Amino acid sequence: MRHELLLFGRFFVKRFPLGLYSVYVLLLPAAVFCTLVPADRSGPSAQPSAAGSASAVVSGLLGLVCVLFFMRVVDEVKDLDYDRVFHPSRPLVTGVVGPRQVVWYLGGAAGAAAVLAAGAGAATTVTAALIMAYSLFLLRLEQTSAWFRDSMHRNIAVTIQLKTGVVGYAVTLAYAAGAARASWPALLCAVLTFVLAYSSWEVARKTVRPEFAQPGEKLYSTAVGASGSLVLAAGLLVAACVLRAVVAAVWQEWDAGWVAACTVPLACAVWGWLRWRGRRTVRYAPAGPALLGYVLFLAVPVAHWASSGLTP
């Protein structure tokens, strides 16, 4: 038992850094909440599950940690053949963690996620179950479908639906916390903004100039070229910010805070482009600026909401 716990601890620390994931688990739901809470509270509001209690939200957040860990383990299995070539030190590749441990990790994460998500309501529980089921579907697709496996762009079009599910989970937590229920067009636009912003970072971090790409390396720039890939990443971020502006103008009180929420991430994209142009002779992917842009995409609305003095 002690040996198994040590194996789990090593895997958890190496492949699921809790500090990084904890920030994300707090920041994404908070950003979704701040997007869905209108400045005008005179309209209809949600009837939060468990009276919007803090315990329900905390339980849901812990459930999200378990869901993300489940996704991480599935990804490790899904990418095993690729990791043997490009990431040979990972636990599943070295054999430190084997199939038996993977089954235990998946079962434990799924069970804990179900119990904890239930604390935030039925919708959260169902969403968690759908996310984990879709993760397993993607694993099966990776093993059986060359159409899915051999094209990065087809791959991201299918796998990004996991992110849609995670944002949907954050929406259920926002409702549990007492956010007003937006109209379906506003809600769908809000969800899409977060999915597009994440996709922009995902594409940017796997974009390098062709001369620096390794044979067999999975990059978005391989199919359309580095410039085309960067244009795609920029276009996704611009679309996310434009949709955010629409949602803010319709659902929020349009002000300087929402202007910043729509423009600051774009400044990071410009910074990434300038760094890209200045690093022609070395391998470089604009992952850092893209990640900062995505983090600020989440953080600026939270900072704006906190500074405005609004309360649920």
mmCIF file of all heavy atoms in Angstrom, residues 100-126:
data_model
loop_
_atom_site.group_PDB
_atom_site.id
_atom_site.type_symbol
_atom_site.label_atom_id
_atom_site.label_comp_id
_atom_site.label_asym_id
_atom_site.label_seq_id
_atom_site.Cartn_x
_atom_site.Cartn_y
_atom_site.Cartn_z
ATOM 1 N N ARG A 100 -2.152 -1.341 -14.139
ATOM 2 C CA ARG A 100 -2.928 -1.537 -12.913
ATOM 3 C C ARG A 100 -3.118 -0.215 -12.173
ATOM 4 O O ARG A 100 -4.213 0.090 -11.690
ATOM 5 C CB ARG A 100 -2.231 -2.548 -12.007
ATOM 6 C CG ARG A 100 -3.020 -2.911 -10.746
ATOM 7 C CD ARG A 100 -2.408 -4.136 -10.080
ATOM 8 N NE ARG A 100 -1.051 -3.885 -9.651
ATOM 9 C CZ ARG A 100 -0.726 -3.370 -8.459
ATOM 10 N NH1 ARG A 100 -1.680 -3.068 -7.603
ATOM 11 N NH2 ARG A 100 0.527 -3.179 -8.124
ATOM 12 N N GLN A 101 -2.031 0.547 -12.081
ATOM 13 C CA GLN A 101 -2.147 1.842 -11.417
ATOM 14 C C GLN A 101 -3.081 2.778 -12.186
ATOM 15 O O GLN A 101 -3.866 3.521 -11.584
ATOM 16 C CB GLN A 101 -0.767 2.499 -11.276
ATOM 17 C CG GLN A 101 0.107 1.922 -10.194
ATOM 18 C CD GLN A 101 0.787 0.644 -10.645
ATOM 19 O OE1 GLN A 101 0.937 0.389 -11.838
ATOM 20 N NE2 GLN A 101 1.216 -0.177 -9.684
ATOM 21 N N VAL A 102 -3.009 2.739 -13.510
ATOM 22 C CA VAL A 102 -3.859 3.608 -14.321
ATOM 23 C C VAL A 102 -5.333 3.314 -14.038
ATOM 24 O O VAL A 102 -6.149 4.231 -13.877
ATOM 25 C CB VAL A 102 -3.550 3.418 -15.823
ATOM 26 C CG1 VAL A 102 -4.647 4.048 -16.682
ATOM 27 C CG2 VAL A 102 -2.205 4.042 -16.158
ATOM 28 N N VAL A 103 -5.682 2.031 -13.954
ATOM 29 C CA VAL A 103 -7.066 1.661 -13.663
ATOM 30 C C VAL A 103 -7.497 2.199 -12.297
ATOM 31 O O VAL A 103 -8.601 2.740 -12.138
ATOM 32 C CB VAL A 103 -7.244 0.133 -13.727
ATOM 33 C CG1 VAL A 103 -8.617 -0.275 -13.206
ATOM 34 C CG2 VAL A 103 -7.048 -0.367 -15.158
ATOM 35 N N TRP A 104 -6.616 2.072 -11.306
ATOM 36 C CA TRP A 104 -6.935 2.581 -9.970
ATOM 37 C C TRP A 104 -7.093 4.105 -9.987
ATOM 38 O O TRP A 104 -8.008 4.649 -9.349
ATOM 39 C CB TRP A 104 -5.854 2.176 -8.980
ATOM 40 C CG TRP A 104 -6.022 0.787 -8.437
ATOM 41 C CD1 TRP A 104 -5.299 -0.319 -8.761
ATOM 42 C CD2 TRP A 104 -6.996 0.354 -7.484
ATOM 43 N NE1 TRP A 104 -5.749 -1.419 -8.073
ATOM 44 C CE2 TRP A 104 -6.799 -1.036 -7.277
ATOM 45 C CE3 TRP A 104 -8.017 0.991 -6.780
ATOM 46 C CZ2 TRP A 104 -7.569 -1.792 -6.403
ATOM 47 C CZ3 TRP A 104 -8.800 0.241 -5.897
ATOM 48 C CH2 TRP A 104 -8.569 -1.128 -5.726
ATOM 49 N N TYR A 105 -6.213 4.793 -10.701
ATOM 50 C CA TYR A 105 -6.284 6.255 -10.747
ATOM 51 C C TYR A 105 -7.578 6.707 -11.414
ATOM 52 O O TYR A 105 -8.250 7.629 -10.935
ATOM 53 C CB TYR A 105 -5.096 6.833 -11.520
ATOM 54 C CG TYR A 105 -3.746 6.544 -10.901
ATOM 55 C CD1 TYR A 105 -2.569 6.812 -11.605
ATOM 56 C CD2 TYR A 105 -3.621 5.991 -9.625
ATOM 57 C CE1 TYR A 105 -1.327 6.538 -11.054
ATOM 58 C CE2 TYR A 105 -2.392 5.719 -9.069
ATOM 59 C CZ TYR A 105 -1.234 5.990 -9.792
ATOM 60 O OH TYR A 105 -0.009 5.710 -9.246
ATOM 61 N N LEU A 106 -7.937 6.055 -12.519
ATOM 62 C CA LEU A 106 -9.159 6.433 -13.221
ATOM 63 C C LEU A 106 -10.391 6.138 -12.366
ATOM 64 O O LEU A 106 -11.300 6.976 -12.257
ATOM 65 C CB LEU A 106 -9.255 5.686 -14.553
ATOM 66 C CG LEU A 106 -8.256 6.093 -15.638
ATOM 67 C CD1 LEU A 106 -8.393 5.199 -16.867
ATOM 68 C CD2 LEU A 106 -8.452 7.552 -16.031
ATOM 69 N N GLY A 107 -10.424 4.959 -11.750
ATOM 70 C CA GLY A 107 -11.568 4.616 -10.920
ATOM 71 C C GLY A 107 -11.704 5.523 -9.716
ATOM 72 O O GLY A 107 -12.806 5.980 -9.384
ATOM 73 N N GLY A 108 -10.582 5.796 -9.052
ATOM 74 C CA GLY A 108 -10.617 6.678 -7.890
ATOM 75 C C GLY A 108 -11.035 8.089 -8.250
ATOM 76 O O GLY A 108 -11.851 8.704 -7.543
ATOM 77 N N ALA A 109 -10.486 8.624 -9.364
ATOM 78 C CA ALA A 109 -10.830 9.976 -9.788
ATOM 79 C C ALA A 109 -12.294 10.072 -10.179
ATOM 80 O O ALA A 109 -12.984 11.040 -9.825
ATOM 81 C CB ALA A 109 -9.947 10.405 -10.961
ATOM 82 N N ALA A 110 -12.786 9.046 -10.893
ATOM 83 C CA ALA A 110 -14.189 9.063 -11.321
ATOM 84 C C ALA A 110 -15.124 9.000 -10.121
ATOM 85 O O ALA A 110 -16.120 9.737 -10.057
ATOM 86 C CB ALA A 110 -14.457 7.900 -12.275
ATOM 87 N N GLY A 111 -14.826 8.133 -9.176
ATOM 88 C CA GLY A 111 -15.669 8.024 -7.998
ATOM 89 C C GLY A 111 -15.681 9.299 -7.177
ATOM 90 O O GLY A 111 -16.743 9.777 -6.756
ATOM 91 N N ALA A 112 -14.497 9.859 -6.951
ATOM 92 C CA ALA A 112 -14.420 11.094 -6.168
ATOM 93 C C ALA A 112 -15.105 12.247 -6.896
ATOM 94 O O ALA A 112 -15.801 13.061 -6.269
ATOM 95 C CB ALA A 112 -12.947 11.440 -5.903
ATOM 96 N N ALA A 113 -14.930 12.315 -8.219
ATOM 97 C CA ALA A 113 -15.568 13.378 -8.989
ATOM 98 C C ALA A 113 -17.089 13.292 -8.891
ATOM 99 O O ALA A 113 -17.768 14.308 -8.730
ATOM 100 C CB ALA A 113 -15.131 13.302 -10.453
ATOM 101 N N ALA A 114 -17.624 12.077 -8.979
ATOM 102 C CA ALA A 114 -19.077 11.905 -8.910
ATOM 103 C C ALA A 114 -19.623 12.354 -7.560
ATOM 104 O O ALA A 114 -20.641 13.054 -7.482
ATOM 105 C CB ALA A 114 -19.442 10.450 -9.177
ATOM 106 N N VAL A 115 -18.945 11.955 -6.487
ATOM 107 C CA VAL A 115 -19.412 12.304 -5.139
ATOM 108 C C VAL A 115 -19.318 13.811 -4.910
ATOM 109 O O VAL A 115 -20.268 14.446 -4.413
ATOM 110 C CB VAL A 115 -18.592 11.544 -4.082
ATOM 111 C CG1 VAL A 115 -18.912 12.059 -2.680
ATOM 112 C CG2 VAL A 115 -18.862 10.041 -4.169
ATOM 113 N N LEU A 116 -18.192 14.399 -5.278
ATOM 114 C CA LEU A 116 -17.984 15.820 -5.016
ATOM 115 C C LEU A 116 -18.852 16.693 -5.915
ATOM 116 O O LEU A 116 -19.400 17.703 -5.473
ATOM 117 C CB LEU A 116 -16.506 16.167 -5.208
ATOM 118 C CG LEU A 116 -15.571 15.576 -4.149
ATOM 119 C CD1 LEU A 116 -14.113 15.674 -4.593
ATOM 120 C CD2 LEU A 116 -15.758 16.289 -2.808
ATOM 121 N N ALA A 117 -18.982 16.303 -7.193
ATOM 122 C CA ALA A 117 -19.825 17.083 -8.098
ATOM 123 C C ALA A 117 -21.275 17.059 -7.637
ATOM 124 O O ALA A 117 -22.007 18.044 -7.807
ATOM 125 C CB ALA A 117 -19.700 16.546 -9.523
ATOM 126 N N ALA A 118 -21.697 15.944 -7.053
ATOM 127 C CA ALA A 118 -23.080 15.838 -6.571
ATOM 128 C C ALA A 118 -23.378 16.883 -5.503
ATOM 129 O O ALA A 118 -24.528 17.303 -5.336
ATOM 130 C CB ALA A 118 -23.331 14.439 -6.024
ATOM 131 N N GLY A 119 -22.340 17.312 -4.791
ATOM 132 C CA GLY A 119 -22.541 18.333 -3.771
ATOM 133 C C GLY A 119 -22.946 19.677 -4.337
ATOM 134 O O GLY A 119 -23.466 20.531 -3.607
ATOM 135 N N ALA A 120 -22.704 19.873 -5.644
ATOM 136 C CA ALA A 120 -23.070 21.142 -6.288
ATOM 137 C C ALA A 120 -24.337 21.018 -7.118
ATOM 138 O O ALA A 120 -24.746 21.991 -7.750
ATOM 139 C CB ALA A 120 -21.926 21.643 -7.156
ATOM 140 N N GLY A 121 -24.937 19.836 -7.156
ATOM 141 C CA GLY A 121 -26.193 19.690 -7.879
ATOM 142 C C GLY A 121 -26.154 18.633 -8.960
ATOM 143 O O GLY A 121 -25.092 18.168 -9.381
ATOM 144 N N ALA A 122 -27.349 18.271 -9.440
ATOM 145 C CA ALA A 122 -27.478 17.213 -10.435
ATOM 146 C C ALA A 122 -26.836 17.606 -11.762
ATOM 147 O O ALA A 122 -26.195 16.776 -12.431
ATOM 148 C CB ALA A 122 -28.956 16.874 -10.643
ATOM 149 N N ALA A 123 -26.987 18.860 -12.171
ATOM 150 C CA ALA A 123 -26.429 19.296 -13.450
ATOM 151 C C ALA A 123 -24.911 19.173 -13.450
ATOM 152 O O ALA A 123 -24.305 18.761 -14.446
ATOM 153 C CB ALA A 123 -26.844 20.739 -13.749
ATOM 154 N N THR A 124 -24.293 19.519 -12.343
ATOM 155 C CA THR A 124 -22.845 19.408 -12.225
ATOM 156 C C THR A 124 -22.415 17.952 -12.286
ATOM 157 O O THR A 124 -21.415 17.609 -12.937
ATOM 158 C CB THR A 124 -22.377 20.041 -10.898
ATOM 159 O OG1 THR A 124 -22.894 21.367 -10.808
ATOM 160 C CG2 THR A 124 -20.868 20.105 -10.828
ATOM 161 N N THR A 125 -23.156 17.068 -11.643
ATOM 162 C CA THR A 125 -22.838 15.642 -11.654
ATOM 163 C C THR A 125 -22.915 15.072 -13.068
ATOM 164 O O THR A 125 -22.022 14.343 -13.513
ATOM 165 C CB THR A 125 -23.807 14.871 -10.744
ATOM 166 O OG1 THR A 125 -23.828 15.480 -9.454
ATOM 167 C CG2 THR A 125 -23.389 13.422 -10.612
ATOM 168 N N VAL A 126 -23.980 15.399 -13.767
ATOM 169 C CA VAL A 126 -24.151 14.905 -15.139
ATOM 170 C C VAL A 126 -23.052 15.434 -16.041
ATOM 171 O O VAL A 126 -22.480 14.695 -16.867
ATOM 172 C CB VAL A 126 -25.540 15.302 -15.688
ATOM 173 C CG1 VAL A 126 -25.647 14.986 -17.178
ATOM 174 C CG2 VAL A 126 -26.636 14.592 -14.920
#
